[in-house]
């Protein structure tokens, strides 16, 4: 269920990344609003098309019977995460473009604590996998509400919906480019889980999934820490090749030559 919903999330989240990195004219609120609209269209399209192919996907992964019915229920609930993430897109993009990264880190920490804490409580009460999914929804909502509170409390312009056709075009093209670079990577990272589950069964997949996730924890922590800072920061200085090379060199990534 997480993999199926994750594929949807990767597709829709590309608009948010494109809104953060865009630097070709337009104000920060305009890019944030464009990201919300593009992500909203993608989210609406996926949710509208989901009933057409979800039954076939669930049948392929879990077969028919009680297992398939449970997986379908979990996926239906997990799809609400797309709506919650859409609601938090505007403050996330705007805060990153303003390089106000502390609230983003706080929102991420709040989401993790709320998800784990609530999931443990619901599991102890006997709600099973649905309890974990419910914890994810509540944690996502709390994180989004926190981001909105920090945005509304920050000074400076926060709203600008007057977007020209050129900026719309750039937002759509940037979203497509981000999708092309990230979607295949996500599928590649999860394909092994599906193969193990199909060959050895769900129990073996659970052990494998835990081991796979544990082995990637150091990389995940590094990615969370660096990605939150590097993406919005480097997009601010993307045309300053010397400065970008120095940043990447000091970060241990070597030299990079950029063409704009």
């Amino acid at each position: 269920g997480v993999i199926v919903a994750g594929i949807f999330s990767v597709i829709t989240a590309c608009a948010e990344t494109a809104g953060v990195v865009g630097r070709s004219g337009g104000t920060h609120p305009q890019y944030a609003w464009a990201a919300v609209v593009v992500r909203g269209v993608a989210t609406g399209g996926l949710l509208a098309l989901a009933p057409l192919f979800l039954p076939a996907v669930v049948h392929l992964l879990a077969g028919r019977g009680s297992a398939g019915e449970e997986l379908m229920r979990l996926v239906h609930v997990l799809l609400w995460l797309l709506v919650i993430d859409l609601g938090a897109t505007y403050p996330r993009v705007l805060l990153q473009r303003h390089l106000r990264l502390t609230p983003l880190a706080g929102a991420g920490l709040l989401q993790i604590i709320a998800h784990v804490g609530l999931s443990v409580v619901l599991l102890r009460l006997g709600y099973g996998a649905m309890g974990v999914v419910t914890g994810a929804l509540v944690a996502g909502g709390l994180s989004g509400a926190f981001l909105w509170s920090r945005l509304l409390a920050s000074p400076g312009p926060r709203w600008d919906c007057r977007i020209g056709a050129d900026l719309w075009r750039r937002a759509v093209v940037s979203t497509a480019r981000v999708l092309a670079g990230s979607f295949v990577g996500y599928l590649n990272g999860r394909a092994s889980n599906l193969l193990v589950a199909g060959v050895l069964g769900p129990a073996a997949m659970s052990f494998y999934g835990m081991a796979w996730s544990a082995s990637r924890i150091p990389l995940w922590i590094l990615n969370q820490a660096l990605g939150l800072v590097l993406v919005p920061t480097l997009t601010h200085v993307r045309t300053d090749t010397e400065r970008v090379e120095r940043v990447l060199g000091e970060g241990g990534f070597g030299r990079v030559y950029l063409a704009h």
Side-chain angles (χ1 to χ4, degrees):
V2 172
I3 293 175
V4 173
I7 293 174
F8 283 19
S9 179
V10 168
I11 295 174
T12 58
C14 293
E16 180 178 318
T17 304
V20 173
V21 303
R23 285 293 180 276
S24 300
T27 64
H28 295 324
Q30 286 176 341
Y31 272 103
W33 179 242
V36 171
V37 173
V38 175
R39 185 170 192 166
V41 172
T43 300
L46 286 174
L47 293 179
L49 295 175
L52 300 179
F53 58 83
L54 268 185
V57 173
V58 169
H59 174 66
L60 177 65
L61 295 177
R64 301 189 184 277
S66 60
E69 294 175 359
E70 182 181 9
L71 178 57
M72 181 65 80
R73 286 196 300 269
L74 290 174
V75 171
H76 282 158
V77 177
L78 280 168
L79 289 180
W80 281 103
L81 283 173
L82 301 181
V83 180
I84 293 174
D85 287 337
L86 175 62
T89 297
Y90 192 90
R92 249 195 321 253
V93 172
L94 202 53
L95 289 172
Q96 287 186 80
R97 290 186 67 89
H98 286 309
L99 294 182
R100 297 190 67 244
L101 305 178
T102 301
L104 294 165
L109 182 61
L110 172 63
Q111 185 170 359
I112 292 173
I113 293 175
H115 184 197
V116 174
L118 185 57
S119 296
V120 169
V121 172
L122 293 176
L123 283 171
R124 294 285 295 178
L125 293 176
Y127 286 94
M130 188 59 71
V132 179
V133 171
T134 303
L137 293 178
V138 174
L142 291 174
S143 175
F146 175 81
L147 288 174
W148 273 107
S149 68
R150 301 313 302 157
L151 176 64
L152 295 176
S154 64
R158 294 188 292 266
W159 316 105
D160 190 355
C161 302
R162 300 167 299 175
I163 304 176
D166 184 62
L167 196 148
W168 284 118
R169 181 182 62 81
R170 292 179 182 275
V172 173
V173 171
S174 296
T175 301
R177 290 175 176 174
V178 175
L179 176 61
S182 60
F183 186 64
V184 175
Y186 181 84
L187 290 181
N188 179 62
R190 293 299 181 180
S192 58
N193 295 64
L194 297 178
L195 289 174
V196 172
V199 175
L200 301 179
M205 190 280 226
S206 297
F207 285 104
Y208 172 81
M210 289 297 295
W212 185 87
S213 299
S215 69
R216 294 180 60 85
I217 285 178
L219 180 62
W220 180 83
I221 295 175
L222 183 66
N223 177 68
Q224 291 293 105
L226 294 180
L228 187 64
V229 177
L230 282 178
V231 172
T233 301
L234 292 181
T235 53
H236 274 272
V237 296
R238 59 188 296 178
T239 57
D240 189 345
T241 307
E242 181 179 354
R243 188 176 178 186
V244 173
E245 289 180 352
R246 186 174 68 253
V247 170
L248 294 177
E250 292 175 355
F253 296 99
R255 292 171 59 83
V256 62
Y257 294 93
L258 304 178
H260 187 274

